[in-house]
Amino acid sequence: MFVVLILLTALLADYAIRVLFLAVERMRVERPRYPSMGRAALGRSGELLSSWVVTLQQIGACIAYVVIIGDVLHPIVELTGWGSWVCERWPLQLFLLVCVIFPLCLLPSMDNLKYVSVVSLLLIWGTVFAVVVNGGLVLGDPLRRDQLIGAEMNATNRTSGVCEHSHSGGSGSGSGGGGMAPAPAPAGLFPQEGFLFQNHSNSTAGGDSTSMRMLPKGVGQILSALPILAFAFLCHQNSFPIYKELIDPNPARMSLVGHWSISICCFVYMLSGLTGYYTFLENTESNLLKNFAVQGTYFSLPMDVMRTGFGVSMVLSFPLMVWEARHNLDVLIFGDRPYAFWRNFGLNLGIVGFTGGIGISVSKLDQVLTVVGSTCSPLMIYILPALFYLAPIWGDEKRKKAGGRASGGDGIEAALMDETEASAAAGVLFNVNGAGPDEVTAAKGGCCGGCVSERAMVTTMLGYGLLLIPCCLFVWVLQYLVCAEGSAGSSPICSGFGF
């Protein structure tokens, strides 16, 4: 089921890129971004909606980055034993936010961050490679799993002597820091009770064979996985600069870029997800790196290097997330004004302070990803691109109906002329593929076989997004509020949804 869900999300995300740039060409937006597309398609309200959605999405990503930084880097710092302060992860998060992330966020242009982006990407790829290699080792010798899980459950293998008191009883949370409670894996993606595989914690020296669980325990596990996958495949706000850099940019070329990008991401997600989950089975946590003990196993040293690199990549990527949110807030609050240092300083201080405060107080990564992936991510992938594509068509049809009600030859002629001019201005009659007069006439008439098919597909994507948001939010409330730890068995609705 994991493979089915990830393929479904990848296909929809890929198609959304095509729809987005069909809309760009139809409306002839010179400087395409979500806010400018929203204004062209839906007016001022569309611009405000698009701006706030993108801003909140980036803010949510920043919060998730702060959580990941604590999860990943704190166990390494804990090993140093530099004092009791290393037993809590918030001092490390605060230090990095103030001394590294905030200064990087003050850079006025994204051009200054292009080398940072390349380094971050290489570090992330290194971590994925390490997870896949370890998964291959466990596949060849399942006994390695017992060593990894046993070390992860043993607190003394993860911490220095200074912090042993934080892991009393040797229960070991697997969080690698500060005695925090274990973050459960996002249900439907890496669930603790087994979504892809059934209970394997009893693997013995003989190496028990695994039995696949092809279906989830309940629909709640599917609905809690879809937001995280939507968050993972969201790249659409970053596609506009790429589009402008293309030679002879058009939707077909951009679709090809989208195909390759989404396909690579899909392959990497499936490979790392399956190998990572196969390694730890029902013990897999929402942040996979938290499962790897920092010492005491055959893979601790290489994984510590990769863990550090991944944490550094999150630190370096944080300013890239802030840039879009800061730019949108700047325009929303102050209008389109020239760059000013103190305005830039204040916006960065507000964003970093707000996201850092929430990220430090949150210990469960999947809670952040699910909230953002249930709201902003579906809006940016499924709903807004569909509205950008459909709104001019709806407006054109409305004008045609109004023109058809006009009486008298002169009135009809004037109405048709007004309709043609308005449609051309909206880009509805602009043929993105360089079609001839016949196709333009068909588009003017509003119906040809291809147009109807494209419109039906876009409408379906819009409906999927509109349905996904309330369903996923309902499941989030159910999973984290109604069916909290220890109460799932007392509520039939919790067990019915698989929580």
Side-chain angles (χ1 to χ4, degrees):
M1 182 58 73
F2 168 72
V3 174
V4 173
L5 293 179
I6 205 168
L7 287 175
L8 171 65
T9 308
L11 289 172
L12 288 173
D14 180 51
Y15 182 65
I17 293 176
R18 167 183 164 81
V19 173
L20 191 61
F21 287 94
L22 282 175
V24 168
E25 291 299 311
R26 282 177 176 271
M27 295 187 293
R28 302 188 184 189
V29 180
E30 293 184 1
R31 298 173 59 187
R33 288 177 58 250
Y34 269 89
S36 59
M37 294 283 291
R39 185 174 186 84
L42 302 167
R44 176 62 176 167
S45 59
E47 181 182 20
L48 290 174
L49 173 64
S50 301
S51 295
W52 279 112
V53 167
V54 174
T55 301
L56 293 175
Q57 168 69 35
Q58 301 301 88
I59 287 175
C62 290
I63 294 172
Y65 278 24
V66 175
V67 177
I68 294 173
I69 289 168
D71 288 346
V72 172
L73 293 181
H74 177 243
I76 303 297
V77 175
E78 229 182 3
L79 284 177
T80 62
W82 287 338
S84 59
W85 67 270
V86 302
C87 300
E88 300 291 339
R89 68 180 194 170
W90 69 263
L92 172 65
Q93 292 169 306
L94 184 62
F95 171 79
L96 291 174
L97 283 168
V98 173
C99 299
V100 181
I101 291 175
F102 184 70
L104 287 175
C105 291
L106 292 177
L107 296 174
S109 172
M110 285 188 69
D111 290 338
N112 300 317
L113 299 173
K114 57 185 177 182
Y115 300 111
V116 168
S117 179
V118 173
V119 172
S120 300
L121 187 61
L122 292 175
L123 293 172
I124 292 172
W125 273 98
T127 307
V128 171
F129 179 75
V131 170
V132 173
V133 167
N134 182 70
L137 294 174
V138 173
L139 184 62
D141 181 10
L143 290 176
R144 296 178 183 271
R145 178 185 298 124
D146 296 330
Q147 182 185 0
L148 291 171
I149 294 177
E152 186 255 338
M153 292 298 179
N154 185 357
T156 59
N157 284 331
R158 293 198 324 274
T159 64
S160 64
V162 175
C163 300
E164 285 181 10
H165 67 277
S166 298
H167 307 277
S168 58
S171 59
S173 67
S175 65
M180 292 211 176
L189 189 59
F190 296 135
Q192 290 181 325
E193 295 186 13
F195 182 26
L196 298 175
F197 303 90
Q198 289 183 329
N199 301 323
H200 304 287
S201 55
N202 298 324
S203 57
T204 61
D208 291 347
S209 60
T210 59
S211 58
M212 298 288 290
R213 182 191 291 274
M214 300 304 296
L215 296 174
K217 292 179 62 178
V219 67
Q221 292 188 330
I222 296 177
L223 292 176
S224 60
L226 288 174
I228 298 175
L229 293 175
F231 186 98
F233 280 102
L234 178 62
C235 59
H236 301 63
Q237 74 275 19
N238 300 323
S239 60
F240 297 114
I242 298 173
Y243 181 73
K244 293 177 65 176
E245 295 296 326
L246 292 177
I247 299 174
D248 186 22
N250 58 64
R253 287 177 179 270
M254 192 63 212
S255 294
L256 183 61
V257 174
H259 293 335
W260 280 103
S261 302
I262 296 295
S263 298
I264 292 172
C265 288
C266 183
F267 174 76
V268 171
Y269 290 159
M270 284 197 294
L271 188 62
S272 58
L274 291 173
T275 54
Y277 184 73
Y278 180 76
T279 300
F280 296 101
L281 303 176
E282 75 278 2
N283 296 289
T284 307
E285 300 202 32
S286 56
N287 185 346
L288 181 63
L289 296 182
K290 291 169 67 175
N291 281 106
F292 289 92
V294 293
Q295 60 182 359
T297 73
Y298 67 93
F299 211 64
S300 290
L301 179 59
M303 205 61 218
D304 286 349
V305 175
M306 293 298 102
R307 182 200 302 267
T308 303
F310 189 83
V312 170
S313 74
M314 293 295 101
V315 172
L316 298 179
S317 299
F318 193 101
L320 298 173
M321 298 295 104
V322 169
W323 191 91
E324 184 76 18
R326 183 188 67 219
H327 176 79
N328 286 342
L329 286 176
D330 193 11
V331 174
L332 287 168
I333 299 173
F334 301 105
D336 195 4
R337 296 185 181 182
Y339 170 82
F341 174 79
W342 288 111
R343 192 172 75 247
N344 181 64
F345 183 92
L347 288 170
N348 278 299
L349 183 62
I351 295 172
V352 174
F354 177 76
T355 57
I358 296 179
I360 290 173
S361 63
V362 172
S363 62
K364 297 183 179 181
L365 176 62
D366 49 313
Q367 288 185 341
V368 179
L369 297 182
T370 307
V371 169
V372 180
S374 297
T375 52
C376 299
S377 299
L379 277 164
M380 292 181 65
I381 296 178
Y382 311 124
I383 296 176
L384 288 178
L387 288 177
F388 297 160
Y389 180 92
L390 293 171
I393 298 177
W394 292 337
D396 187 45
E397 291 177 346
K398 184 177 180 180
R399 285 187 293 270
K400 286 171 63 178
K401 289 180 181 179
R405 288 194 295 267
S407 61
D410 292 340
I412 293 175
E413 183 180 355
L416 290 175
M417 289 178 64
D418 290 342
E419 172 200 339
T420 302
E421 291 173 1
S423 300
V428 176
L429 301 183
F430 182 76
N431 191 294
V432 298
N433 295 318
D438 292 340
E439 284 94 337
V440 175
T441 303
K444 194 172 180 179
C447 284
C448 62
C451 299
V452 172
S453 176
E454 188 83 52
R455 180 172 177 177
M457 292 174 65
V458 175
T459 304
T460 302
M461 184 175 73
L462 174 63
Y464 173 77
L466 292 173
L467 182 64
L468 184 66
I469 292 177
C471 290
C472 291
L473 285 176
F474 170 76
V475 168
W476 186 90
V477 172
L478 198 64
Q479 182 178 5
Y480 294 108
L481 300 181
V482 178
C483 305
E485 244 182 84
S487 63
S490 61
S491 175
I493 190 173
C494 296
S495 57
F497 274 85
F499 297 132

PDB file of all heavy atoms in Angstrom, residues 14-35:
ATOM      1  N   ASP A  14       3.033  15.364 -10.422  1.00  0.00           N
ATOM      2  CA  ASP A  14       3.592  15.559 -11.749  1.00  0.00           C
ATOM      3  C   ASP A  14       2.581  16.222 -12.679  1.00  0.00           C
ATOM      4  O   ASP A  14       2.905  17.160 -13.417  1.00  0.00           O
ATOM      5  CB  ASP A  14       4.031  14.207 -12.312  1.00  0.00           C
ATOM      6  CG  ASP A  14       4.639  14.324 -13.694  1.00  0.00           C
ATOM      7  OD1 ASP A  14       5.549  15.165 -13.871  1.00  0.00           O
ATOM      8  OD2 ASP A  14       4.220  13.601 -14.607  1.00  0.00           O
ATOM      9  N   TYR A  15       1.349  15.752 -12.632  1.00  0.00           N
ATOM     10  CA  TYR A  15       0.311  16.350 -13.485  1.00  0.00           C
ATOM     11  C   TYR A  15       0.027  17.789 -13.075  1.00  0.00           C
ATOM     12  O   TYR A  15      -0.256  18.648 -13.930  1.00  0.00           O
ATOM     13  CB  TYR A  15      -0.964  15.517 -13.406  1.00  0.00           C
ATOM     14  CG  TYR A  15      -2.068  16.038 -14.278  1.00  0.00           C
ATOM     15  CD1 TYR A  15      -1.948  16.036 -15.668  1.00  0.00           C
ATOM     16  CD2 TYR A  15      -3.232  16.563 -13.719  1.00  0.00           C
ATOM     17  CE1 TYR A  15      -2.962  16.537 -16.473  1.00  0.00           C
ATOM     18  CE2 TYR A  15      -4.248  17.059 -14.519  1.00  0.00           C
ATOM     19  CZ  TYR A  15      -4.108  17.044 -15.896  1.00  0.00           C
ATOM     20  OH  TYR A  15      -5.108  17.540 -16.698  1.00  0.00           O
ATOM     21  N   ALA A  16       0.121  18.083 -11.787  1.00  0.00           N
ATOM     22  CA  ALA A  16      -0.128  19.453 -11.321  1.00  0.00           C
ATOM     23  C   ALA A  16       0.887  20.433 -11.897  1.00  0.00           C
ATOM     24  O   ALA A  16       0.557  21.602 -12.152  1.00  0.00           O
ATOM     25  CB  ALA A  16      -0.098  19.496  -9.796  1.00  0.00           C
ATOM     26  N   ILE A  17       2.131  19.984 -12.112  1.00  0.00           N
ATOM     27  CA  ILE A  17       3.133  20.854 -12.738  1.00  0.00           C
ATOM     28  C   ILE A  17       2.709  21.202 -14.159  1.00  0.00           C
ATOM     29  O   ILE A  17       2.816  22.357 -14.593  1.00  0.00           O
ATOM     30  CB  ILE A  17       4.514  20.167 -12.731  1.00  0.00           C
ATOM     31  CG1 ILE A  17       5.025  20.035 -11.294  1.00  0.00           C
ATOM     32  CG2 ILE A  17       5.519  20.960 -13.570  1.00  0.00           C
ATOM     33  CD1 ILE A  17       6.341  19.292 -11.176  1.00  0.00           C
ATOM     34  N   ARG A  18       2.229  20.211 -14.892  1.00  0.00           N
ATOM     35  CA  ARG A  18       1.739  20.467 -16.251  1.00  0.00           C
ATOM     36  C   ARG A  18       0.592  21.475 -16.232  1.00  0.00           C
ATOM     37  O   ARG A  18       0.573  22.446 -17.003  1.00  0.00           O
ATOM     38  CB  ARG A  18       1.279  19.151 -16.887  1.00  0.00           C
ATOM     39  CG  ARG A  18       0.457  19.326 -18.171  1.00  0.00           C
ATOM     40  CD  ARG A  18      -0.020  17.990 -18.704  1.00  0.00           C
ATOM     41  NE  ARG A  18      -1.085  18.157 -19.681  1.00  0.00           N
ATOM     42  CZ  ARG A  18      -0.894  18.469 -20.942  1.00  0.00           C
ATOM     43  NH1 ARG A  18       0.328  18.670 -21.392  1.00  0.00           N
ATOM     44  NH2 ARG A  18      -1.920  18.610 -21.768  1.00  0.00           N
ATOM     45  N   VAL A  19      -0.371  21.267 -15.346  1.00  0.00           N
ATOM     46  CA  VAL A  19      -1.527  22.155 -15.267  1.00  0.00           C
ATOM     47  C   VAL A  19      -1.093  23.573 -14.900  1.00  0.00           C
ATOM     48  O   VAL A  19      -1.601  24.557 -15.458  1.00  0.00           O
ATOM     49  CB  VAL A  19      -2.541  21.609 -14.244  1.00  0.00           C
ATOM     50  CG1 VAL A  19      -3.666  22.609 -14.009  1.00  0.00           C
ATOM     51  CG2 VAL A  19      -3.108  20.274 -14.715  1.00  0.00           C
ATOM     52  N   LEU A  20      -0.154  23.673 -13.982  1.00  0.00           N
ATOM     53  CA  LEU A  20       0.304  24.978 -13.521  1.00  0.00           C
ATOM     54  C   LEU A  20       0.869  25.798 -14.678  1.00  0.00           C
ATOM     55  O   LEU A  20       0.562  27.001 -14.815  1.00  0.00           O
ATOM     56  CB  LEU A  20       1.356  24.783 -12.431  1.00  0.00           C
ATOM     57  CG  LEU A  20       1.785  25.998 -11.624  1.00  0.00           C
ATOM     58  CD1 LEU A  20       0.609  26.597 -10.876  1.00  0.00           C
ATOM     59  CD2 LEU A  20       2.887  25.628 -10.651  1.00  0.00           C
ATOM     60  N   PHE A  21       1.658  25.164 -15.537  1.00  0.00           N
ATOM     61  CA  PHE A  21       2.296  25.931 -16.611  1.00  0.00           C
ATOM     62  C   PHE A  21       1.429  26.031 -17.860  1.00  0.00           C
ATOM     63  O   PHE A  21       1.657  26.918 -18.690  1.00  0.00           O
ATOM     64  CB  PHE A  21       3.674  25.350 -16.899  1.00  0.00           C
ATOM     65  CG  PHE A  21       4.644  25.683 -15.808  1.00  0.00           C
ATOM     66  CD1 PHE A  21       4.865  24.796 -14.761  1.00  0.00           C
ATOM     67  CD2 PHE A  21       5.260  26.915 -15.772  1.00  0.00           C
ATOM     68  CE1 PHE A  21       5.717  25.126 -13.732  1.00  0.00           C
ATOM     69  CE2 PHE A  21       6.106  27.259 -14.740  1.00  0.00           C
ATOM     70  CZ  PHE A  21       6.333  26.367 -13.718  1.00  0.00           C
ATOM     71  N   LEU A  22       0.421  25.180 -17.985  1.00  0.00           N
ATOM     72  CA  LEU A  22      -0.617  25.458 -18.976  1.00  0.00           C
ATOM     73  C   LEU A  22      -1.348  26.750 -18.610  1.00  0.00           C
ATOM     74  O   LEU A  22      -1.655  27.575 -19.473  1.00  0.00           O
ATOM     75  CB  LEU A  22      -1.607  24.291 -19.041  1.00  0.00           C
ATOM     76  CG  LEU A  22      -1.168  23.041 -19.803  1.00  0.00           C
ATOM     77  CD1 LEU A  22      -2.218  21.942 -19.666  1.00  0.00           C
ATOM     78  CD2 LEU A  22      -0.910  23.346 -21.272  1.00  0.00           C
ATOM     79  N   ALA A  23      -1.594  26.913 -17.314  1.00  0.00           N
ATOM     80  CA  ALA A  23      -2.251  28.138 -16.849  1.00  0.00           C
ATOM     81  C   ALA A  23      -1.356  29.357 -17.039  1.00  0.00           C
ATOM     82  O   ALA A  23      -1.827  30.441 -17.398  1.00  0.00           O
ATOM     83  CB  ALA A  23      -2.647  27.987 -15.381  1.00  0.00           C
ATOM     84  N   VAL A  24      -0.049  29.196 -16.810  1.00  0.00           N
ATOM     85  CA  VAL A  24       0.892  30.304 -17.023  1.00  0.00           C
ATOM     86  C   VAL A  24       0.818  30.785 -18.461  1.00  0.00           C
ATOM     87  O   VAL A  24       0.743  31.995 -18.739  1.00  0.00           O
ATOM     88  CB  VAL A  24       2.333  29.868 -16.663  1.00  0.00           C
ATOM     89  CG1 VAL A  24       3.341  30.912 -17.151  1.00  0.00           C
ATOM     90  CG2 VAL A  24       2.478  29.667 -15.168  1.00  0.00           C
ATOM     91  N   GLU A  25       0.834  29.863 -19.398  1.00  0.00           N
ATOM     92  CA  GLU A  25       0.813  30.236 -20.810  1.00  0.00           C
ATOM     93  C   GLU A  25      -0.550  30.758 -21.236  1.00  0.00           C
ATOM     94  O   GLU A  25      -0.644  31.673 -22.056  1.00  0.00           O
ATOM     95  CB  GLU A  25       1.206  29.029 -21.670  1.00  0.00           C
ATOM     96  CG  GLU A  25       2.664  28.611 -21.528  1.00  0.00           C
ATOM     97  CD  GLU A  25       3.611  29.724 -21.955  1.00  0.00           C
ATOM     98  OE1 GLU A  25       3.419  30.284 -23.047  1.00  0.00           O
ATOM     99  OE2 GLU A  25       4.523  30.043 -21.188  1.00  0.00           O
ATOM    100  N   ARG A  26      -1.611  30.188 -20.718  1.00  0.00           N
ATOM    101  CA  ARG A  26      -2.949  30.653 -21.076  1.00  0.00           C
ATOM    102  C   ARG A  26      -3.166  32.103 -20.626  1.00  0.00           C
ATOM    103  O   ARG A  26      -3.749  32.906 -21.346  1.00  0.00           O
ATOM    104  CB  ARG A  26      -4.012  29.761 -20.440  1.00  0.00           C
ATOM    105  CG  ARG A  26      -4.229  28.436 -21.171  1.00  0.00           C
ATOM    106  CD  ARG A  26      -5.247  27.575 -20.423  1.00  0.00           C
ATOM    107  NE  ARG A  26      -5.517  26.354 -21.159  1.00  0.00           N
ATOM    108  CZ  ARG A  26      -6.456  26.220 -22.099  1.00  0.00           C
ATOM    109  NH1 ARG A  26      -7.201  27.255 -22.398  1.00  0.00           N
ATOM    110  NH2 ARG A  26      -6.634  25.073 -22.719  1.00  0.00           N
ATOM    111  N   MET A  27      -2.713  32.422 -19.424  1.00  0.00           N
ATOM    112  CA  MET A  27      -2.938  33.773 -18.902  1.00  0.00           C
ATOM    113  C   MET A  27      -1.796  34.723 -19.225  1.00  0.00           C
ATOM    114  O   MET A  27      -1.863  35.895 -18.887  1.00  0.00           O
ATOM    115  CB  MET A  27      -3.156  33.700 -17.381  1.00  0.00           C
ATOM    116  CG  MET A  27      -4.406  32.943 -16.988  1.00  0.00           C
ATOM    117  SD  MET A  27      -4.770  33.015 -15.215  1.00  0.00           S
ATOM    118  CE  MET A  27      -3.401  32.086 -14.537  1.00  0.00           C
ATOM    119  N   ARG A  28      -0.714  34.188 -19.828  1.00  0.00           N
ATOM    120  CA  ARG A  28       0.427  35.010 -20.239  1.00  0.00           C
ATOM    121  C   ARG A  28       0.981  35.833 -19.082  1.00  0.00           C
ATOM    122  O   ARG A  28       1.208  37.051 -19.192  1.00  0.00           O
ATOM    123  CB  ARG A  28       0.035  35.939 -21.388  1.00  0.00           C
ATOM    124  CG  ARG A  28      -0.486  35.207 -22.612  1.00  0.00           C
ATOM    125  CD  ARG A  28      -0.671  36.149 -23.782  1.00  0.00           C
ATOM    126  NE  ARG A  28      -1.256  35.466 -24.922  1.00  0.00           N
ATOM    127  CZ  ARG A  28      -1.373  36.007 -26.131  1.00  0.00           C
ATOM    128  NH1 ARG A  28      -0.955  37.238 -26.343  1.00  0.00           N
ATOM    129  NH2 ARG A  28      -1.913  35.330 -27.113  1.00  0.00           N
ATOM    130  N   VAL A  29       1.199  35.179 -17.961  1.00  0.00           N
ATOM    131  CA  VAL A  29       1.767  35.850 -16.794  1.00  0.00           C
ATOM    132  C   VAL A  29       3.265  35.998 -17.009  1.00  0.00           C
ATOM    133  O   VAL A  29       3.975  35.015 -17.187  1.00  0.00           O
ATOM    134  CB  VAL A  29       1.479  35.049 -15.509  1.00  0.00           C
ATOM    135  CG1 VAL A  29       2.074  35.754 -14.299  1.00  0.00           C
ATOM    136  CG2 VAL A  29      -0.019  34.844 -15.343  1.00  0.00           C
ATOM    137  N   GLU A  30       3.751  37.240 -16.999  1.00  0.00           N
ATOM    138  CA  GLU A  30       5.157  37.488 -17.325  1.00  0.00           C
ATOM    139  C   GLU A  30       6.100  37.050 -16.209  1.00  0.00           C
ATOM    140  O   GLU A  30       7.179  36.525 -16.466  1.00  0.00           O
ATOM    141  CB  GLU A  30       5.362  38.974 -17.630  1.00  0.00           C
ATOM    142  CG  GLU A  30       4.657  39.433 -18.898  1.00  0.00           C
ATOM    143  CD  GLU A  30       4.952  40.884 -19.218  1.00  0.00           C
ATOM    144  OE1 GLU A  30       5.729  41.506 -18.447  1.00  0.00           O
ATOM    145  OE2 GLU A  30       4.427  41.401 -20.207  1.00  0.00           O
ATOM    146  N   ARG A  31       5.726  37.280 -14.982  1.00  0.00           N
ATOM    147  CA  ARG A  31       6.558  36.899 -13.834  1.00  0.00           C
ATOM    148  C   ARG A  31       5.764  35.933 -12.964  1.00  0.00           C
ATOM    149  O   ARG A  31       5.239  36.289 -11.914  1.00  0.00           O
ATOM    150  CB  ARG A  31       6.972  38.141 -13.035  1.00  0.00           C
ATOM    151  CG  ARG A  31       7.805  39.132 -13.828  1.00  0.00           C
ATOM    152  CD  ARG A  31       8.027  40.416 -13.048  1.00  0.00           C
ATOM    153  NE  ARG A  31       8.703  40.168 -11.785  1.00  0.00           N
ATOM    154  CZ  ARG A  31       8.900  41.104 -10.855  1.00  0.00           C
ATOM    155  NH1 ARG A  31       8.432  42.339 -11.042  1.00  0.00           N
ATOM    156  NH2 ARG A  31       9.544  40.806  -9.745  1.00  0.00           N
ATOM    157  N   PRO A  32       5.673  34.674 -13.400  1.00  0.00           N
ATOM    158  CA  PRO A  32       4.778  33.737 -12.701  1.00  0.00           C
ATOM    159  C   PRO A  32       5.293  33.349 -11.324  1.00  0.00           C
ATOM    160  O   PRO A  32       6.453  32.997 -11.138  1.00  0.00           O
ATOM    161  CB  PRO A  32       4.745  32.526 -13.641  1.00  0.00           C
ATOM    162  CG  PRO A  32       6.026  32.587 -14.401  1.00  0.00           C
ATOM    163  CD  PRO A  32       6.331  34.045 -14.564  1.00  0.00           C
ATOM    164  N   ARG A  33       4.422  33.457 -10.369  1.00  0.00           N
ATOM    165  CA  ARG A  33       4.573  32.941  -9.020  1.00  0.00           C
ATOM    166  C   ARG A  33       3.155  32.674  -8.532  1.00  0.00           C
ATOM    167  O   ARG A  33       2.194  33.110  -9.164  1.00  0.00           O
ATOM    168  CB  ARG A  33       5.280  33.942  -8.095  1.00  0.00           C
ATOM    169  CG  ARG A  33       6.766  34.106  -8.371  1.00  0.00           C
ATOM    170  CD  ARG A  33       7.408  35.170  -7.487  1.00  0.00           C
ATOM    171  NE  ARG A  33       7.268  34.918  -6.070  1.00  0.00           N
ATOM    172  CZ  ARG A  33       6.496  35.632  -5.252  1.00  0.00           C
ATOM    173  NH1 ARG A  33       5.798  36.657  -5.724  1.00  0.00           N
ATOM    174  NH2 ARG A  33       6.420  35.338  -3.973  1.00  0.00           N
ATOM    175  N   TYR A  34       3.023  31.981  -7.455  1.00  0.00           N
ATOM    176  CA  TYR A  34       1.668  31.681  -6.982  1.00  0.00           C
ATOM    177  C   TYR A  34       0.832  32.952  -6.766  1.00  0.00           C
ATOM    178  O   TYR A  34      -0.328  33.004  -7.198  1.00  0.00           O
ATOM    179  CB  TYR A  34       1.733  30.837  -5.705  1.00  0.00           C
ATOM    180  CG  TYR A  34       1.717  29.350  -5.971  1.00  0.00           C
ATOM    181  CD1 TYR A  34       2.901  28.649  -6.172  1.00  0.00           C
ATOM    182  CD2 TYR A  34       0.521  28.638  -6.030  1.00  0.00           C
ATOM    183  CE1 TYR A  34       2.893  27.286  -6.418  1.00  0.00           C
ATOM    184  CE2 TYR A  34       0.502  27.279  -6.271  1.00  0.00           C
ATOM    185  CZ  TYR A  34       1.691  26.601  -6.465  1.00  0.00           C
ATOM    186  OH  TYR A  34       1.678  25.252  -6.721  1.00  0.00           O
ATOM    187  N   PRO A  35       1.338  33.987  -6.108  1.00  0.00           N
ATOM    188  CA  PRO A  35       0.515  35.192  -5.933  1.00  0.00           C
ATOM    189  C   PRO A  35       0.121  35.861  -7.247  1.00  0.00           C
ATOM    190  O   PRO A  35      -1.041  36.261  -7.416  1.00  0.00           O
ATOM    191  CB  PRO A  35       1.420  36.104  -5.089  1.00  0.00           C
ATOM    192  CG  PRO A  35       2.328  35.175  -4.361  1.00  0.00           C
ATOM    193  CD  PRO A  35       2.600  34.068  -5.324  1.00  0.00           C
TER     194      PRO A  35
END
